[in-house]
Amino acid sequence: MTVYEALTEMRELSAKDIPFSFSFMSYSRERQTSGGVVEVRQGKLRKRATVEQNAQAEVLEQYTDLDTLTQKRFYQPTLMTFNGITLNF
C-alpha cells in the first residue's frame, strides 16, 4: 500500500467515523528537527486546512488523537504505517 492509497482509505474511514491506527515521523519545519516516530493508536482525520490558512496545507493532514483528544497534524510524506501495514513510497 502506498502513502496515497493509505490517505484515501484514512479519509474514507474518517468520513464514516471509524477510527484507525497510524504512525509517522514527526517533523518541525520551524525548528527543522524530528522528535522521532509518533504512533497514534486511535485517530481520525479532520478537514484539511486551506492554503490561505496554512501555506503547507497541500501536504499536511490534520487529525484527532482519540486516546488523548488532542488535535494535531502531520506531513503526508512522513506517514509510515496505517492499521499495522508498513507503507511504500
Side-chain angles (χ1 to χ4, degrees):
M1 177 179 286
T2 68
V3 168
Y4 297 106
E5 289 169 336
L7 287 167
T8 297
E9 198 165 326
M10 291 166 79
R11 288 183 187 113
E12 290 172 0
L13 290 171
S14 296
K16 295 176 183 175
D17 204 31
I18 301 171
F20 47 85
S21 65
F22 61 100
S23 68
F24 60 93
M25 184 63 69
S26 69
Y27 178 69
S28 169
R29 187 168 177 248
E30 289 178 5
R31 289 178 251 139
Q32 295 186 4
T33 60
S34 173
V37 177
V38 175
E39 295 192 32
V40 180
R41 292 182 333 121
Q42 291 190 81
K44 290 191 293 185
L45 296 182
R46 295 183 290 126
K47 184 177 176 181
R48 291 175 67 190
T50 64
V51 176
E52 290 80 20
Q53 295 167 321
N54 185 319
Q56 301 296 312
E58 291 185 14
V59 294
L60 276 175
E61 292 294 332
Q62 300 190 93
Y63 71 94
T64 300
D65 183 325
L66 297 173
D67 288 334
T68 62
L69 298 178
T70 55
Q71 296 183 349
K72 299 182 180 184
R73 59 187 176 211
F74 67 92
Y75 286 96
Q76 293 174 347
T78 67
L79 188 60
M80 298 169 58
T81 65
F82 166 61
N83 277 342
I85 300 168
T86 300
L87 303 178
N88 299 314
F89 292 94

